[in-house]
Amino acid sequence: MKKILAISIATLLGIGAFAFAAKKAPVPVNEKCPVSGKAVDADQTIGIGVCCGNCAKKVGKDVKGILAKVKSDSKDTDTVNSACPISGKGIKRVVTVAFCCSKCKGKYTVK
């Protein structure tokens, strides 16, 4: 019985370690920088917090317009905003937006 328990625990730990290692980086919703129009750099991203899937879709369709509404006021490391820029409700999802360089990204990060 102890042997079966030990094997089960080892298996679960192995699966957990694999799942942790397989975590992928978030994919940006845009291919062009919303500031300069140049191709994006996958390392220059921010997270915009939204309240629901519908608002997430709206961000994907109009990144530049939504960024104009984003209030960069969050101390959270996952998002730059503390409320949905569309509805004003609390954040339940994060949409990743990419920029071409750190200068463009800096315009939307908390200072």
Side-chain angles (χ1 to χ4, degrees):
M1 183 69 166
K2 288 182 182 180
K3 192 174 188 178
I4 293 172
L5 182 61
I7 291 171
S8 297
I9 291 173
T11 302
L12 289 174
L13 289 174
I15 291 171
F18 178 73
F20 180 74
K23 186 176 180 180
K24 295 180 181 178
V27 177
V29 295
N30 58 320
E31 295 178 359
K32 299 283 183 183
C33 177
V35 178
S36 70
K38 297 178 183 177
V40 297
D41 178 354
D43 294 330
Q44 301 296 328
T45 63
I46 62 168
I48 297 177
V50 294
C51 64
C52 64
N54 288 333
C55 288
K57 289 177 187 175
K58 289 178 183 178
V59 172
K61 289 180 181 177
D62 185 20
V63 174
K64 191 171 186 173
I66 298 300
L67 279 172
K69 297 178 183 180
V70 170
K71 183 178 178 186
S72 297
D73 60 356
S74 177
K75 300 296 182 193
D76 184 9
T77 57
D78 293 334
T79 62
V80 295
N81 57 319
S82 58
C84 179
I86 299 161
S87 70
K89 296 179 182 177
I91 295 172
K92 294 184 181 175
R93 292 181 178 219
V94 177
V95 178
T96 302
V97 175
F99 297 89
C100 65
C101 63
S102 61
K103 186 176 178 182
C104 290
K105 175 185 171 183
K107 294 180 180 189
Y108 295 99
T109 54
V110 180
K111 296 177 170 105

